[in-house]
Amino acid sequence: SGISVSEGAENFRIERQEEAYLGCEVVLSLGGDVIKTPGIVYEWSFEGNAKPIHLRKGGAECRFTPIDAEPITAVVTALNPEGGFLASADISMTAKEFVVDIAMLAPQPFMLWDANTKQDVAAEGLIAGEAIQFKVGLTPEFKNEIKCRWNTDASTAIRGGENDIQVTIVRNEIGDAELSVVVTDVHGTLLGRGSKHVNVPIAKSMVEDSVRRKEAWGLWTTALTQWDAKNFDEAIRNAQAAATMDP
């Protein structure tokens, strides 16, 4: 804080207890010996964009909410009951955006057929054409309701939650899905921005191939059982079908 000194007012100051963030109320209070003066009067002035300013405790406390990232300067002048100057102080700040984190929610395990081990195994990676869910979080915590505006690249589609904290996307081809979000409060004040790249390495054709090969193995094991039961015609028919599906 800058200080203009009157006699006995060398330590008059404006104090801010917490860091200023967009869309969050900032509380300023006054300190110094001069505030003990009986009948003291405070006059506040502001430069910058803030929501309506509220003075409390006879003007010794000021509350406001920054609505953009432009600098804000608050100036307070202390006057005696007769209107005489005692001291003045100022404080400048620039409200910060929140850190926006986009977290992928753990997908349900997707099983693919392993032709070597002849069993289903969990897919190692995301699959094209399958829904992927994400959720936004703010640091520090924002205690009020937020709105989101999600956006993706041309090869990725939003399938739900375009304006919610949780979104569902689908990418229909392999590659990197690019996801971004702008977060505001309910009044439209920007709180922060975030982005995330997620690799989708498994193509739809691999899933279709997995289904086909698993079905072929099922026909083959059926054919073996039928052959052991001397149901030769059915066994040959299923064996041929299996060989056609998965040579």
Side-chain angles (χ1 to χ4, degrees):
S1 300
I3 301 176
S4 297
V5 180
S6 180
E7 184 178 355
E10 294 86 353
N11 58 0
F12 183 58
R13 61 194 179 275
I14 302 175
E15 299 174 341
R16 187 184 74 227
Q17 295 183 352
E18 297 181 351
E19 193 69 58
Y21 281 91
L22 292 170
C24 293
E25 187 177 64
V26 175
V27 179
L28 302 178
S29 57
L30 301 179
D33 294 335
V34 75
I35 65 174
K36 301 174 184 177
T37 303
I40 193 169
V41 176
Y42 301 108
E43 293 183 351
W44 289 81
S45 63
F46 274 78
E47 291 183 4
N49 295 324
K51 289 187 177 179
I53 298 163
H54 300 284
L55 299 181
R56 299 181 180 180
K57 300 180 180 179
E61 180 181 279
C62 175
R63 295 172 178 256
F64 67 95
T65 302
I67 59 175
D68 62 30
E70 295 299 318
I72 295 174
T73 299
V75 180
V76 62
T77 301
L79 305 174
N80 64 26
E82 291 74 36
F85 175 85
L86 293 176
S88 68
D90 63 80
I91 188 171
S92 295
M93 70 202 78
T94 300
K96 295 181 178 180
E97 291 187 13
F98 286 78
V99 175
V100 177
D101 177 60
I102 301 174
M104 184 174 67
L105 303 183
Q108 292 293 327
F110 197 97
M111 309 304 289
L112 294 174
W113 178 253
D114 188 323
N116 295 319
T117 62
K118 303 299 187 290
Q119 62 182 1
D120 286 322
V121 296
E124 296 183 0
L126 299 172
I127 298 172
E130 292 296 313
I132 313 169
Q133 291 186 315
F134 298 87
K135 188 174 183 179
V136 73
L138 300 181
T139 302
E141 180 185 4
F142 186 74
K143 297 179 181 179
N144 299 321
E145 183 182 352
I146 63 173
K147 300 290 185 180
C148 296
R149 187 168 69 253
W150 295 92
N151 192 34
T152 61
D153 61 279
S155 299
T156 306
I158 296 177
R159 294 293 175 84
E162 187 170 2
N163 297 307
D164 300 330
I165 63 172
Q166 186 169 313
V167 69
T168 301
I169 68 170
V170 172
R171 183 177 176 84
N172 289 320
E173 58 186 55
I174 62 173
D176 283 343
E178 301 174 9
L179 185 63
S180 63
V181 65
V182 176
V183 183
T184 66
D185 66 10
V186 294
H187 305 292
T189 299
L190 172 70
L191 300 179
R193 305 174 179 87
S195 62
K196 192 176 188 68
H197 287 229
V198 181
N199 184 249
V200 181
I202 302 175
K204 286 182 178 180
S205 58
M206 185 179 292
V207 177
E208 294 167 353
D209 184 63
S210 168
V211 173
R212 176 181 57 80
R213 301 192 80 174
K214 182 177 182 179
E215 186 176 349
W217 179 252
L219 288 172
W220 175 252
T221 56
T222 298
L224 293 177
T225 300
Q226 291 170 334
W227 187 268
D228 291 340
K230 301 186 184 307
N231 188 357
F232 300 120
D233 289 342
E234 290 297 321
I236 292 172
R237 186 178 299 111
N238 281 320
Q240 290 174 335
T244 300
M245 294 179 67
D246 185 11

